[in-house]
Amino acid sequence: MDRETEKRYVADQIRVLFLTKWAGKWVAENELRQQNRLWSQVFQELVQQKFIEKKHEGTITKYKWKEPLEQL
């Protein structure tokens, strides 16, 4: 499996977690840290691409899946 295919697979896994396990809920960063390096890299790319919303509550950072609006 090449690198881009691996990244796509991991991105799909992350999306499924947010849509099923966490189902629209905000997830604390500490729940997300227990993954490997590739998972963390893809996660940060999804945040930058605005698929995942990020917010700070005091000292806690939380994340939530958010499909970006399509550009017209």
Side-chain angles (χ1 to χ4, degrees):
M1 189 180 313
D2 70 359
R3 181 82 169 161
E4 287 305 311
T5 304
E6 278 185 84
K7 288 173 76 173
R8 177 60 190 221
Y9 178 76
V10 170
D12 289 341
Q13 287 181 321
I14 293 170
R15 182 176 186 268
V16 167
L17 278 174
F18 272 100
L19 297 177
T20 58
K21 180 179 179 181
W22 299 310
K25 297 177 186 172
W26 288 96
V27 183
E29 186 174 42
N30 62 352
E31 276 191 69
L32 303 167
R33 283 193 185 157
Q34 303 168 14
Q35 305 297 328
N36 65 31
R37 186 177 177 151
L38 179 61
W39 198 95
S40 296
Q41 179 186 4
V42 172
F43 184 88
Q44 288 306 315
E45 288 176 10
L46 291 170
V47 171
Q48 290 172 355
Q49 295 169 5
K50 302 195 185 312
F51 283 98
I52 298 174
E53 188 175 353
K54 177 181 180 178
K55 76 173 179 178
H56 299 283
E57 290 184 352
T59 59
I60 299 172
T61 303
K62 293 186 175 183
Y63 298 90
K64 181 178 179 181
W65 186 263
K66 176 186 166 192
E67 297 281 348
L69 297 175
E70 288 187 34
Q71 305 256 337
L72 297 177

